[in-house]
Amino acid sequence: MTGRSLSDRRDAMEGRRSETGFDHNLYRLFPTHRPRPEGELEELERIWENPKGWGLLTVVNNNYVGFFYVATAFLFFLLAGILALGMRIQLAAPLQEFLPQDTYNQFFTMHGTVMMFLFAVPMVEAIGIMLLPQMLAARDLPFPRLSAYAFWAYFVGGLSFFASLFVGLAPDGGWFMYPPLTSIAYSPGINTDFWLLGIGFIEISAIAGAIEIIVGVLRTRAPGMTLDRMPMFAWAMLVFAVMIVIAFPSVILGTLLLELERAFNWPFFDPTRGGDPLLWQHLFWFFGHPEVYIIFLPAAGLMSMMVATIARTRLIGYRLNVLALVATGFISFGVWAHHMFATGMPRLSTGYFSAASMAVSLPAGIQVFCWIATLAAGKIRWSTPALFVVGSVTIFVMGGLTGVMLGMVPFDWQAHDSYFVVAHLHYVLLGGMVFPMFAAFYYWNGMTSRNALSERLGKWVFWLMFTGLHVTFLPMHLTGMMGMPRRVYTYLPDRGLDILNLVSTIGAFIIAAGVLLFLIDLARKFRFTTSDDAGNVYGGGTLEWLPTGMYSTRSIPVVRDREPLWHDKDLCDDVAAGRYFLPNSATGLRETIITSPINAEPQYLQLMPGPSPYPVAAAVFTASFFLSLTVQAYAFAVFSGVVALLCVLRWLWETDRPIQQDTADIGAGIMVPIAVTGPSGHGWWALNVLMIVLGMIVFMGMFSYLYLYGIHPEVWIAPPALPQTLGIFALLASAFVCAWLSRRVLGGKRADEFPGQTPWLSAALGAGLLVAALYWDWTGWNGAGLAPDASGQGATVFALLAFQGCTAAIAAIMALYLGFRSGRGLLSGPANVTLDVVTRFIGYTALQGLAITVLVRLFPGG
C-alpha cells in the first residue's frame, strides 16, 4: 500500500492542467521539514479554543456541532422506536385496546414523520458535518455559523414538533398527509398545521446544511485531493446534498400550498373549485421517493469506506461506485409516480415509471457487487463494523428485490397499501441506512471518544438487531399478501393474521433489546473528546485519522492518493509537525484554504467566524415564528420573525470583515489572496445553490399551475395586459441595473471607487423596481376579477406572486443592509463580497419574476 499511485505517475509524465494557473511543482516542496517555532501550536489552540459551560451553546466548530447533531438525531431514532413498540403492542393480538384509535393514528403519523424527517436525513447530514472537515483536511466547513443555525433550528423545531404528542395535538393524517383527509373539512384542528409548518421549517434546516456540504466538498478539500482522489463518503455527501437542493423544495412548496388552503381557503387541492388532490401526491412523492436514496447514498459512501478497511485492501471499482452514486441520484427523480400506480394513471405513464423503477436498481447493484468483490479480494477482519456491513448488504438486497416486485404495475395493484409495502420499506431503510449507521458508530467512534466501544457487546448488538429485523418484518410480507392493509389500528380474529402479528411484535422487542445493549455500551465507554481520542482502531487509510484538535489537522497535507495514510506511512508525523500547508495562523484568526473545485489547487485563504450567540438565537426565534403561526398567535409570530431576521443580519455583519492584509503565506513561501469575489469565491457558490433552491420552488409552483390548467383549461381567464407589461419593463430594468453593477464588481472595481453611494443606491433601485413590478401584477389580477379563493388558477397565480413578494422583500432587506454597511465604510477593499452577493440576488429575483409573468401570460394566453 505504499509507493507512487497511478495518478501520481500520470501527473509526473503528462502534467495535469491547472484550473487556476497554480504550479503543481510547488507540491514537491512538501513536507518541508521545517523546525516548529516556539509557541506555534499553542497559538493555534488559542485561536480555535471554544467557550466552556453555557458558552458551548455558541460554538460553531464542526466537532461540537456535528456531535450535537448526531446525538439529537439518535434521540429521535429512539423516540420513534418507542412509538413503534407501542404500535406493535397494539397489533400483537386482534381487537387489542392498548392504544385508542385516535392515539394510534397519532403514533403512526409521528413514527413515520420522525423517522423520515427528524432521524434519517438529519442523521446522515450530521455525520457529514462531523466527518467531512477531517476527511477533507479542512479546518472546518466554509459556513460554520450556518451549520450551527441549521442544527439549533432542527433541535428546537424537532423537539417542539414531537412535544405536540403530549398535548393531543400531534398530526394524525399519516406521514404523507394526503388531502382531502388533511383538508380543513376533515381535519379541522391544528394537528395537521403542526405537521405542515413544523416539517416545512425542519426542511429549511436540511437545505441550510446541504448548502454547507456542497460548498465544503467542492471548495475546501486539501491541496491535491482531486475529484478522483476524494473519499467515497465525500462523493456520496455531494450527491446527497445536490438531491436535497432539488427534491426538498417540492415538499416545502406542498406544505405551503396545503397550509394556504387550510388557512385562507385557497383551493389548490379542492376539485370542486379547480384544484386536484393528486397534485399533492405529485409534489410529495417528487420529494418522497428521492428521499429514500437521499438516505441511502451517504450510508453507501460510509459502507464503501468501511469495506476497504475491513477487507484491508483498496475499494474495487472506485470510479464505478462514483458513477453509480451519480446515476442513482439522477434516475431517482424519474421514479416518484410509482407510488401512484393505484390512482388511475394513464397506461403510458405507468409504463414509464415502472421502467424507471427497474432502472434505478442497476446502480445500486453496481455498488453491492463492488463491495462483495472488495470483501472477496481482501482478508476480512470480523469486527463489529464488519458484521454490520455484511448484514447491511444482506438486508438491503432482500429489500431491493421486493422493491423490484413493487415496481411491476400488476403486482403493485395487488400489494399496494398492504403490509407487504411496510416490510419492503423497512428492509430497505434498515438495511440501507440503520445498519450502516451502527457500523459507522463503531468504526468512527475512535474519532470522538477516549475509549473504543466494546467488541464483545457490539457483536451481541448486531446479532440481536439482525435477528429481530427478520423476525419482525419477514412475516409482514405474508400478512400483506394475506390482505392485511397498512395504517389500521386493529384487525379481526380468525383471519390467519394473529400468530404472524404476534411474531412481528416479538421481533420488534428483540431489535429494541439490541439498541438497549448499544446504549449500555455507550454509557460505559463513550467519553466525548476533541483531541485525546481512541484513534484509528481499525486501521483506516483516509485523512480523518490524522492527529487533530479543535483546528482539525495541525497542517493541511498535500494529497497524493485515495488512501493517503496507506500511501505515506510518515504522513501523520509530518502533519503533526506542521510540515504542510497552513502550519500556523497566517492572520491571527481562524482560517482555512479554499481550493479549486476539480483539481483542489490552493486559491485563497478564507477567514472563518468564531463562536457566536446569534445562530442559536436566530434558530430559537425562527422556530418561535413557525410555532406561533401554528397556534395562530400572529402578533408574536411577527415579533419572532423580526428578531430572527435581526439575529441573522447581526451574525453576518462580521463575516465580511475588512482587514489590512491582502495576501498570506500558507506554507513554503506560497502566497495567496485572503478573500476574492466572483466565481472563485465560496460565497458565490453558496448563493448559486440558494438560487437553485428558490428556482426549484418556483419551478414546482409552475408545474402546479400547468397541472391544474391541464385539468380545467376552459375556466381559466386571460391575464391583464397593461399591468403585466409595466411589470415586465420594471423587472427588465431591475435585471439591467444589477447586471451593470455585477460587471463592475467582477471587473475588479472597488466599492470605494464608485462615485458617492452608487453601489447601494443601485441595489436599492433594483429592489424598488422588483416591488413596483409585484404591485402592478397583483393589482392587475385583482382588477381582472381573479380571486385566490375562487379557483385553482387564482390560488396558484397568487401563490406564485406571494412567493415573488417574499423574495422581493428579502432583496429589499439586503439592499438596506448594504446601505448600512456602506454608511459604516465597510464596502471598501479589494473583495466586496457583500456587494457581489446582494447584487446577484436582486438580479436573480428579477429573472424569477420574469419567468412567472411569462408563464401566466402564455397560459391561457393574453
Side-chain angles (χ1 to χ4, degrees), residues 45 106 273 342 356 460 521 835:
E45 289 175 344
Q106 292 185 12
R273 291 184 288 160
W460 274 98
D521 195 15
L835 178 60

Side-chain angles (χ1 to χ4, degrees), residues 45-177:
E45 289 175 344
R46 181 193 64 77
I47 291 170
W48 286 86
E49 185 180 9
N50 275 322
K52 303 294 191 294
W54 287 104
L56 284 175
L57 296 176
T58 69
V59 299
V60 297
N61 186 278
N62 79 288
N63 293 287
Y64 278 95
V65 172
F67 173 71
F68 294 162
Y69 226 141
V70 170
T72 304
F74 193 70
L75 171 65
F76 283 120
F77 171 74
L78 298 177
L79 293 175
I82 292 171
L83 297 180
L85 292 178
M87 291 189 293
R88 284 313 320 168
I89 293 173
Q90 170 64 21
L91 294 172
L95 303 178
Q96 188 88 299
E97 296 182 356
F98 178 73
L99 293 176
Q101 181 177 352
D102 289 343
T103 305
Y104 181 89
N105 287 341
Q106 292 185 12
F107 269 46
F108 159 74
T109 301
M110 291 294 285
H111 168 74
T113 300
V114 171
M115 279 296 191
M116 298 300 285
F117 292 100
L118 294 179
F119 160 64
V121 174
M123 176 59 83
V124 291
E125 195 164 72
I127 292 174
I129 288 173
M130 187 165 71
L131 293 184
L132 280 175
Q134 279 75 12
M135 282 186 182
L136 304 176
R139 288 279 156 84
D140 205 337
L141 291 173
F143 306 104
R145 290 188 178 180
L146 184 63
S147 292
Y149 172 79
F151 163 70
W152 288 112
Y154 159 68
F155 177 81
V156 176
L159 288 180
S160 300
F161 174 74
F162 193 85
S164 65
L165 191 65
F166 300 106
V167 291
L169 295 176
D172 55 3
W175 75 276
F176 35 78
M177 284 286 148

Side-chain angles (χ1 to χ4, degrees), residues 384-602:
T384 300
L387 290 174
F388 273 104
V389 163
V390 174
S392 168
V393 172
T394 304
I395 296 164
F396 180 73
V397 168
M398 293 178 67
L401 291 174
T402 56
V404 172
M405 295 167 66
L406 289 168
M408 304 290 184
V409 178
F411 183 85
D412 182 82
W413 284 343
Q414 304 305 314
H416 188 77
D417 275 351
S418 75
Y419 259 79
F420 188 95
V421 178
V422 176
H424 156 71
L425 175 67
H426 285 83
Y427 264 90
V428 169
L429 293 182
L430 288 169
M433 189 268 166
V434 174
F435 270 62
M437 177 192 74
F438 274 91
F441 283 169
Y442 282 92
Y443 181 83
W444 276 285
N445 171 75
M447 274 185 59
T448 56
S449 173
R450 290 191 179 92
N451 309 312
L453 294 176
S454 167
E455 280 290 314
R456 181 173 61 87
L457 288 183
K459 290 171 182 176
W460 274 98
V461 172
F462 166 75
W463 285 112
L464 284 170
M465 292 183 64
F466 185 80
T467 303
L469 181 141
H470 292 294
V471 173
T472 303
F473 297 107
L474 199 60
M476 290 186 187
H477 294 94
L478 296 177
T479 55
M481 297 306 294
M482 293 167 66
M484 182 171 178
R486 62 194 299 195
R487 308 166 192 151
V488 294
Y489 85 107
T490 192
Y491 52 94
L492 295 174
D494 302 324
R495 300 294 178 93
L497 304 174
D498 308 31
I499 297 299
L500 292 174
N501 274 294
L502 180 60
V503 169
S504 289
T505 299
I506 294 171
F509 279 88
I510 295 174
I511 295 175
V515 175
L516 178 61
L517 192 59
F518 175 74
L519 292 175
I520 293 171
D521 195 15
L522 276 183
R524 291 176 62 247
K525 295 285 190 177
F526 186 84
R527 299 295 181 271
F528 177 73
T529 181
T530 58
S531 54
D532 184 24
D533 52 51
N536 193 1
V537 176
Y538 299 101
T542 42
L543 294 178
E544 70 270 23
W545 300 114
L546 291 171
T548 59
M550 286 304 300
Y551 43 78
S552 187
T553 58
R554 167 71 175 82
S555 56
I556 299 176
V558 175
V559 176
R560 298 181 170 95
D561 194 87
R562 290 176 190 150
E563 304 284 350
L565 272 62
W566 292 352
H567 172 74
D568 182 356
K569 298 295 185 181
D570 297 324
L571 186 62
C572 288
D573 293 336
D574 289 336
V575 165
R579 294 171 182 160
Y580 283 97
F581 284 103
L582 213 60
N584 51 24
S585 175
T587 63
L589 301 169
R590 297 188 179 198
E591 312 146 338
T592 196
I593 298 175
I594 298 295
T595 54
S596 59
I598 298 176
N599 291 332
E601 300 162 353

